[in-house]
Amino acid sequence: MGLQAAPPSTETAPRRPLVSADATQKVLAFAALVLLFIIFSIASPNFLQFNNMVGILLATAVNGILALGVTYVIVTGGIDLSIGTVMTVSAVMTAQFITVWQMPLPIGILGGVATGAFAGFLNGTIIAKMKIPPFIATLGMMYVAKGLSLIISGLRPIYFNETPEFRDVAMGSVIGSFIPEFEIPNAVLIMFLAAIVAALILARTVLGRYTFALGSNEEATRLSGVNTDRWKIAVYTVSGFFAGLAGVVIASRLNSAQPALGQGYELDAIAAVVIGGTSLSGGEGTILGTIIGAFVLSVLTNGLRILSVPQEWQQVVTGAIVILAVYLDIVRRRRS
Amino acid sequence: MSSLLVHMEGIEKSFPGVHALSQCHFELLPGEVHALVGENGAGKSTLMKILAGVYRKDVGRIYLRDREVDLHNPREALHQGISMIHQELNLMPHLTVAQNIFIGREPRQAVRFVLDDKAINAQAQALLDSLHLDIAPRTRVGDLTVARQQMIEIAKALSYNAEVLIMDEPTAALTESEIDELFRVIRDLRAKGVGIVYISHRLEELKRISDRITVMRDGHYIDTLMTVDATIDQIISLMVGRTIYQSAPEVPEDLGQPTVLEVRGLNRGRLLKDINFTLKQGEILGFAGLMGAGRTEVARAIFGADPIDSGEIYVNGKPAHIASPNDAVRHGIGYLSEDRKRYGLTLKMDVETNVVLASMSRFLTALGVVRRGKTTETAQHYVKALSIRTPGIQQRVKNLSGGNQQKVVIAKWLTADTDILIFDEPTRGIDVGAKSEIYRLLNELAAQGKSIIMISSELEEVLRMSHRIVVMCEGRITGELSAAEATQERIMKFATQRTAAVQSKSGLSQ
């Protein structure tokens, strides 16, 4: 028996759905966002005011930046519970560099971001090398970072009173200096730039590709000769990096490092990621979805506040939205 | 012997508590399909995993083109031109075909960190073309059929310029036509000089595709035969080292057995259309058909696992309302899924727990505490009655062989007092020796008055076991044969009796 002539395959490749699975959830989240906008602008004339819009953007910035990093982690099928308090310890270290050690601002900012990245690196190393489940490893890091924030700061907020320029990092407006009517704080600009970089890395680079591969089938990825430990560490480092960036932004915004703040932020960020259609079981997700998810949360909070809904109820609604978002995703998957 | 592609000799391998391989020998020529057979646990996969660098040998030598090699990990083996396609496909379902093939070796842009997706897709396309596969490189692997996913694994292996391709049970999940396509690809590769090791339980297949057959048993090399000279009986006796149980289909005594299950007018969307059949006490009713014919769907509908649109089910002559598996169990119906590991067993728990799992309430005290004495007694009873080979009832089920796992599932349903047992592919992934034990068990159960529906894709199995055979095609029952009238040809005729072609014509004219 020699080489046989290949019969032409009659089966055609499965047709690509018009909108991919990821995209549908994004569209859904975006539709929810638009719907919220419509509802709130009808309900209150104050909602669509320019200042309120800026307020929403600003309120999204920190959570949005945190959510970018944890998107990577969740796409690998992992979780990072430490980003809230890692953000805090990064803010505290920024303050430490700038006000206590009197370093120049750029060094302080880099130091803060590096602190976050280092915490993420530790997370990744613990998870990849010691084989500790991400939930436990990052839960541990959450407490470690929280404790260190309090120890380093001596339990007190550190104010940037001697370096008023630091506040401009988040609250100044580069955009406003070009277009005076648009005094949009830098924090918002930072979030969007970070989102673009995060999206490009996820879609176009080796790191992004392996992030998806890890979440899709880690063992297969390993057997394909990919050094999965190394890339896993890289992914958690990315998450820590964005937590560090969020730390700098929040410190600048509050003009202080507040050591008691931070816990709970990780859950807001995870909620944003989930609303944006990233699957907690890994393998799929997008940065655009995450940003939309972050906006859904902040628009909701803002709108309900404008309608004078008490804060307790805002949380009830937010919780319901998270569950609803995931449920819709499950229903959709079941159908397809 | 300088023409040998691979030569392994004196290979020894031990795992904690198990001497998996002793003095094993294997050789592979270029351009040869070399089948490796043996019962589960015979050491085939272990031997090949050593060749593929997944495991390290304890003792022995491996020569690749007469050069001794020492393979520390799969990556080294890959770079030496040895690829292994594992039984569980190692693909990333969320990534595209091209991304899967080149995972770990992606073409990069000038900036090394950035991927060159254009190049990756073009290279994948070229590779797929060379295999004459009509698959788009940008398709998500999760959207492909299992057969096509397997082709992607082959393409991936070849992209490493593999000279040695090891395939572990490649056809386990494929349909006939898919197997044909796989064989075409294998023959192409053979013609190009690739040496192929083919591990399979399906001996008829080996006769079709292989050039030589090496038999292993209990971690030992037994013999190598030229396929043309070997008979299937000869291979089987070498494999098991003993004669195996062959049950002749007994002509059923059709007189007076009551009907225990009757299904009338069962419909479920496009999957099931007007299903009618009866099952008598003590009968083994075979369900034959091609994959996707709707046999599993019938079972799941009767078992209450899937909702039905219309239809009635009568158990012992009385209408039974079955809306959930719980209802089915209360009516004495048990379903043994084709995917034991996923739906039949809690793998991480012990034999005892698995045996009593479906009837826990009978083993509880008034306060809801499990009566260990009784569960132990029950489990021990079935371990003995079904001769489940396990070190003890505290053994975790995942450590048992496929055949013994299947017996644990059977024990579970017997414990639950079910009289109607639906077996979905009861011998899938089970080796020849254990298969015969399952067959014997089915016959014994039927003789004891249990009624059995046996879904199977292996025609021989259906013919050998069934008192009566129902054949399905495209969601309909297309034929029913008694054991006496059934032949492979007749079954296949019913199994391929499609209506789609006719209907689509009339559909067009409407």
Side-chain angles (χ1 to χ4, degrees):
Chain A
M1 271 188 271
L3 181 66
Q4 302 216 333
S9 172
T10 48
E11 192 187 333
T12 50
R15 209 181 299 160
R16 285 163 67 87
L18 210 57
V19 184
S20 73
D22 296 9
T24 332
Q25 179 69 14
K26 250 188 299 177
V27 170
L28 219 66
F30 190 68
L33 188 58
V34 171
L35 193 71
L36 286 175
F37 255 88
I38 295 171
I39 294 173
F40 287 134
S41 38
I42 294 171
S44 164
N46 299 326
F47 180 75
L48 270 184
Q49 298 291 316
F50 178 75
N51 282 341
N52 192 47
M53 289 297 111
V54 172
I56 289 173
L57 285 168
L58 187 57
T60 314
V62 168
N63 188 34
I65 294 170
L66 282 176
L68 295 176
V70 81
T71 303
Y72 278 71
V73 170
I74 292 176
V75 169
T76 66
I79 195 78
D80 191 344
L81 298 176
S82 71
I83 50 174
T85 56
V86 166
M87 171 186 83
T88 308
V89 81
S90 302
V92 169
M93 283 307 290
T94 308
Q96 191 76 9
F97 278 114
I98 293 172
T99 63
V100 181
W101 296 329
Q102 311 262 318
M103 304 257 191
L105 284 191
I107 302 284
I109 291 167
L110 280 179
V113 174
T115 304
F118 181 68
F121 173 80
L122 287 181
N123 275 332
T125 308
I126 291 168
I127 291 161
K129 297 295 181 191
M130 292 163 68
K131 311 287 176 210
I132 291 178
F135 189 97
I136 305 298
T138 59
L139 183 71
M141 183 59 74
M142 178 178 96
Y143 287 115
V144 169
K146 186 178 169 184
L148 286 178
S149 303
L150 294 168
I151 293 165
I152 296 166
S153 64
L155 304 174
R156 280 185 306 274
I158 310 174
Y159 290 91
F160 293 91
N161 289 336
E162 290 157 39
T163 50
E165 325 80 86
F166 180 67
R167 195 162 183 277
D168 291 340
V169 171
M171 301 308 287
S173 179
V174 174
I175 299 174
S177 67
F178 290 106
I179 319 163
E181 307 89 88
F182 281 92
E183 284 281 339
I184 295 170
N186 290 338
V188 177
L189 188 65
I190 292 171
M191 175 187 72
F192 279 117
L193 288 177
I196 290 168
V197 171
L200 286 175
I201 291 176
L202 195 59
R204 298 274 172 83
T205 69
V206 185
L207 174 61
R209 179 66 41 83
Y210 293 162
T211 302
F212 283 106
L214 281 170
S216 191
N217 187 343
E218 184 179 332
E219 182 61 9
T221 309
R222 194 179 68 82
L223 288 177
S224 304
V226 174
N227 187 340
T228 46
D229 284 357
R230 195 170 73 191
W231 291 103
K232 215 188 262 183
I233 293 171
V235 164
Y236 283 89
T237 307
V238 166
S239 183
F241 171 88
F242 282 112
L245 185 61
V248 172
V249 170
I250 199 169
S252 164
R253 196 183 146 194
L254 302 173
N255 202 27
S256 61
Q258 301 283 345
L261 201 78
Q263 206 166 358
Y265 276 67
E266 68 283 344
L267 299 181
D268 287 345
I270 292 166
V273 175
V274 168
I275 292 172
T278 296
S279 161
L280 278 179
S281 51
E284 50 193 335
T286 56
I287 293 295
L288 179 58
T290 293
I291 290 295
I292 293 172
F295 273 107
V296 167
L297 286 175
S298 53
V299 165
L300 197 67
T301 310
N302 177 284
L304 292 174
R305 192 185 306 136
I306 285 185
L307 297 180
S308 313
V309 174
Q311 208 190 346
E312 311 83 85
W313 282 104
Q314 292 172 24
Q315 300 203 346
V316 173
V317 173
T318 307
I321 295 270
V322 170
I323 292 170
L324 186 71
V326 176
Y327 178 66
L328 285 177
D329 191 38
I330 289 169
V331 169
R332 183 177 54 76
R333 267 168 223 273
R334 206 183 290 153
R335 260 194 231 125
S336 64
Chain B
M1 294 294 275
S2 59
S3 62
L4 282 181
L5 185 56
V6 173
H7 183 199
M8 302 173 83
E9 63 176 26
I11 304 289
E12 302 260 347
K13 175 74 187 174
S14 292
F15 295 108
V18 196
H19 197 129
L21 296 176
S22 55
Q23 286 299 315
C24 276
H25 167 90
F26 183 76
E27 53 186 49
L28 181 67
L29 296 164
E32 148 179 81
V33 178
H34 195 139
L36 191 55
V37 300
E39 295 189 80
N40 281 347
K44 306 161 295 199
S45 294
T46 309
L47 184 65
M48 286 304 118
K49 280 181 178 168
I50 287 172
L51 182 56
V54 179
Y55 296 147
R56 299 212 55 195
K57 61 185 184 332
D58 297 340
V59 184
R61 291 162 184 278
I62 303 173
Y63 299 92
L64 191 63
R65 291 198 180 285
D66 292 336
R67 204 165 44 78
E68 186 169 359
V69 287
D70 193 14
L71 304 162
H72 296 87
N73 55 48
R75 215 183 321 177
E76 276 184 32
L78 277 175
H79 290 298
Q80 298 275 4
I82 302 170
S83 273
M84 179 160 182
I85 299 173
H86 295 269
Q87 213 168 339
E88 305 80 27
L89 292 181
N90 275 306
L91 293 167
M92 282 66 68
H94 298 90
L95 302 192
T96 69
V97 167
Q99 289 169 358
N100 264 282
I101 292 175
F102 291 102
I103 187 82
R105 304 164 293 148
E106 291 84 356
R108 313 284 178 90
Q109 306 266 16
V111 184
R112 295 286 298 153
F113 193 54
V114 182
L115 299 168
D116 187 349
D117 272 334
K118 221 179 239 169
I120 208 176
N121 285 315
Q123 288 178 25
Q125 185 72 62
L127 193 61
L128 293 165
D129 286 347
S130 76
L131 287 168
H132 308 291
L133 290 173
D134 181 23
I135 302 173
R138 291 172 199 271
T139 318
R140 258 172 52 123
V141 161
D143 294 336
L144 296 174
T145 62
V146 176
R148 303 231 125 188
Q149 293 185 5
Q150 200 147 39
M151 298 297 175
I152 303 308
E153 284 266 32
I154 295 174
K156 182 174 162 187
L158 294 178
S159 71
Y160 284 92
N161 294 319
E163 292 183 306
V164 178
L165 184 60
I166 304 161
M167 305 173 97
D168 195 354
E169 296 274 358
T171 58
L174 306 194
T175 64
E176 284 298 324
S177 65
E178 290 168 342
I179 291 173
D180 287 342
E181 192 179 17
L182 176 71
F183 282 3
R184 176 184 61 71
V185 170
I186 289 177
R187 290 191 182 106
D188 272 7
L189 295 176
R190 173 169 64 184
K192 287 175 188 160
V194 177
I196 295 157
V197 183
Y198 190 96
I199 302 176
S200 178
H201 285 306
R202 300 192 178 178
L203 302 180
E204 295 80 11
E205 255 171 45
L206 304 183
K207 289 288 286 178
R208 274 171 66 197
I209 191 71
S210 70
D211 302 306
R212 287 196 294 167
I213 299 175
T214 287
V215 183
M216 290 181 70
R217 190 202 314 148
D218 299 333
H220 291 269
Y221 167 88
I222 302 297
D223 201 0
T224 300
L225 312 165
M226 298 299 293
T227 305
V228 283
D229 303 331
T231 67
I232 286 184
D233 286 344
Q234 190 185 357
I235 301 168
I236 290 178
S237 63
L238 284 173
M239 275 168 66
V240 296
R242 59 181 186 269
T243 47
I244 65 161
Y245 173 82
Q246 298 271 358
S247 78
E250 319 144 37
V251 179
E253 293 156 41
D254 199 18
L255 308 166
Q257 291 131 319
T259 297
V260 291
L261 178 73
E262 182 171 2
V263 173
R264 282 191 211 155
L266 199 68
N267 281 292
R268 180 177 168 227
R270 282 183 303 174
L271 294 171
L272 295 178
K273 287 167 237 157
D274 195 27
I275 301 296
N276 295 287
F277 70 92
T278 59
L279 176 68
K280 295 201 172 73
Q281 191 184 358
E283 180 180 44
I284 299 179
L285 178 65
F287 261 69
L290 302 174
M291 282 217 189
R295 296 165 301 162
T296 296
E297 285 72 15
V298 170
R300 289 179 59 93
I302 297 172
F303 192 58
D306 292 327
I308 56 171
D309 300 338
S310 63
E312 287 136 36
I313 296 167
Y314 296 83
V315 176
N316 295 321
K318 279 171 273 180
H321 178 72
I322 298 174
S324 69
N326 191 4
D327 292 342
V329 174
R330 274 193 286 119
H331 282 99
I333 304 175
Y335 172 59
L336 292 85
S337 163
E338 56 187 323
D339 193 344
R340 303 184 279 285
K341 294 190 179 167
R342 242 173 104 191
Y343 301 117
L345 294 163
T346 49
L347 286 175
K348 287 185 182 173
M349 303 188 86
D350 57 24
V351 173
E352 178 177 343
T353 309
N354 273 283
V355 167
V356 300
L357 202 59
S359 34
M360 213 42 148
S361 58
R362 289 204 285 115
F363 295 96
L364 300 180
T365 63
L367 288 173
V369 180
V370 179
R371 284 189 282 188
R372 285 302 299 272
K374 238 184 122 190
T375 58
T376 305
E377 190 188 318
T378 307
Q380 272 163 351
H381 166 72
Y382 281 114
V383 164
K384 215 169 143 218
L386 307 183
S387 52
I388 299 172
R389 254 169 290 163
T390 168
I393 57 170
Q394 309 303 338
Q395 177 72 313
R396 288 180 179 202
V397 167
K398 69 171 180 184
N399 296 329
L400 302 186
S401 71
N404 285 302
Q405 288 181 351
Q406 184 67 286
K407 288 183 187 173
V408 172
V409 184
I410 295 174
K412 178 172 94 171
W413 289 113
L414 293 178
T415 306
D417 270 340
T418 45
D419 295 319
I420 300 169
L421 294 166
I422 308 174
F423 288 84
D424 199 346
E425 304 285 0
T427 61
R428 171 167 295 170
I430 291 177
D431 58 65
V432 179
K435 254 184 188 177
S436 69
E437 281 191 54
I438 298 288
Y439 294 152
R440 178 173 17 209
L441 204 53
L442 290 180
N443 280 336
E444 281 172 14
L445 291 171
Q448 287 163 21
K450 304 278 183 197
S451 310
I452 293 171
I453 292 175
M454 187 188 76
I455 300 169
S456 173
S457 296
E458 290 182 38
L459 283 181
E460 276 195 31
E461 179 170 293
V462 176
L463 284 168
R464 176 196 284 189
M465 294 301 301
S466 312
H467 298 139
R468 208 152 47 92
I469 297 168
V470 166
V471 190
M472 289 189 70
C473 179
E474 295 179 342
R476 293 167 302 113
I477 291 181
T478 47
E480 192 185 311
L481 298 161
S482 69
E485 34 183 33
T487 62
Q488 294 215 7
E489 291 70 31
R490 282 194 181 139
I491 292 177
M492 280 317 290
K493 202 173 137 243
F494 284 129
T496 52
Q497 207 171 75
R498 295 172 196 275
T499 51
V502 188
Q503 276 175 351
S504 69
K505 248 182 204 168
S506 62
L508 276 176
S509 63
Q510 273 172 4

